[in-house]
Amino acid sequence: MGVRRILRIATMALIAAWIVAAPAWRQLHGARTRWMPTWDMYAEPGLEIVRGRFLAVRGDHLEELDRYALLGHREPRAAPRWLRTIRGEAGALRVARALCERLGGDVAIRLDGQIATWDGWQPLFADVDDLCRPLGPRPITRRRRHE
Amino acid sequence: MSEARPSLGSRLAAATVDFEGSTRAAALIRIGLVLALWGCVGEPLSLTRATGALEAAEIVVFFGASLAMLVGLGTRGATAITAAILVHLYLDAHLGLGGRARSFFGHHHQALLTTVTLLMILVPAGRSISVDRWLALRRAEAAGRPPPPERGPLWGVRLIALQLSAVYVWSAIDKLSPDYLSGARLERIAMDFYLGSDLPESAALHALFVAAAWILLALELALGVGLWWPRARRWLVPAGVALHALFYLALPVCVFSALTVLLYLAFVEPAAVDRALARLLGPGERERGRASVRGDE
């Protein structure tokens, strides 16, 4: 076997090993290096997006709120992006606070909703009775892979 | 008397390091790759974005080298220069080498373009459909020699095929998570691009997302493994093309879909590509085409 052929075999084996195994470094082991490639296309879009409904609480009475109508947007498509696509705790709180201001002080606002995380849909603010009041420090659900 | 069957080692070598064949399919990959590259970096890598003389020079050299790669002039050298600049841009974007922030070069399609261009250095893609080929024919004619064959070692093409397999398989592995398997990932992607936070609460719609997630996972695994088998390829190539057409319609995938479909050529036996080209060219061209590949034109 000639030197040239041995070199070709070694080169091919090394490149093939890199192609096959390198993504494991980040995708399986969670390494943060940028030297290794990943093939995890479209894994991130929509993370932290919030879905659900805002509820007004008056005594024992729960009422589902139309956030678009209440905030003066008849056509949801024409509403601002922060109102259409709610992202993260901060985004949900922003919408809740806008609703609080609109409805006045004698109403509590709750969110019956979920947030998109790497582990799937997780409840958001399920333990909060009134989003109009200031919130204390809270544990944040895991959002990204390997967090 | 029957011939002795070759050993596994020699069959493996013949299919990998010793793999040879017509270079026409590789030439088609070369041409498509440059067009995909230009589609990807044409606007962000224009001189209007250059912040200094060095960057401007790099951009000019990139387009010069990639043009030479496209037409097949000094093909291997042109490919190496193009690949070197892509690697520099990629490292620049990922590691901040040189201090420039080229965030446009940090995406998966750009990583795939860079990797495939690097692997093309190993492929004699200039031996067909190229200025190099035209010049070689002129030299042979002038010297009264037969034209050089349109054949060469294609182990680099095998690596390109392996790269595409790895993309599919690792993409499928990435989907083995609760978020994906429950349909939640496709739901949040649909919400991000289309629906906003108002995903209709419907069991049927949720079931549709779950079914789509599992079908996509199965198809990616099948493509990653099955494209190596000619029988499976017959069904998987149309399915893959349809899948990437759907991605192209539904998501901002830039050139990723087109590039992936182009790279299916790396799986096809070179002789089959030759036969398809000959069929397209007509009966008179078929024998000339075969002779050209053999080198007895």
Side-chain angles (χ1 to χ4, degrees), chain A residues 5 8-9 11-12 15-16 19-21 23-24 26-28 34-35 37-47 49-53 67-68 76 81 84-87 116-121 145, chain B residues 13 16-18 91 93-95 108 111-112 115 119 122 153 155 158-159 162-163 166-167 170-171 173-175 177-179 182 184-185 187-189 191-193 196-199 201 251-253 256:
Chain A
R5 189 154 189 274
R8 185 190 286 187
I9 291 171
T11 308
M12 190 172 188
I15 297 172
I19 287 170
V20 170
R26 283 169 68 184
Q27 287 190 225
L28 296 184
R34 288 179 162 187
W35 289 97
T38 59
W39 300 113
D40 52 357
M41 291 72 74
Y42 281 87
E44 301 277 310
L47 275 175
I49 211 164
V50 174
R51 73 176 191 184
R53 52 199 185 134
R67 65 182 190 277
Y68 298 111
R81 194 164 174 79
R84 279 183 292 130
T85 307
I86 304 166
R87 291 182 194 276
T117 75
W118 191 255
D119 294 321
W121 293 107
R145 191 207 323 245
Chain B
T16 54
V17 282
D18 297 334
L91 293 178
H94 274 259
L95 305 172
H108 290 103
L112 187 60
T115 311
L119 293 173
L122 306 170
W155 56 286
R158 288 293 200 229
L159 287 172
L162 184 68
Q163 177 60 78
V167 169
W170 279 108
S171 177
I173 290 171
D174 177 67
K175 292 176 172 63
S177 69
D179 150 73
S182 66
R185 191 184 297 182
E187 284 175 338
R188 65 172 158 83
I189 290 172
M191 290 168 73
D192 203 5
F193 288 106
S197 286
D198 303 305
L199 182 72
E201 285 189 22
L251 297 167
V253 290
F256 196 91

Side-chain angles (χ1 to χ4, degrees), chain B residues 264-290:
Chain B
Y264 287 172
L265 274 174
F267 289 94
V268 182
E269 287 305 314
V273 177
D274 277 0
R275 282 196 299 275
L277 285 174
R279 202 169 296 139
L280 285 171
L281 292 169
E285 295 296 321
R286 283 185 201 174
E287 192 43 44
R288 282 187 60 190
R290 286 189 196 119

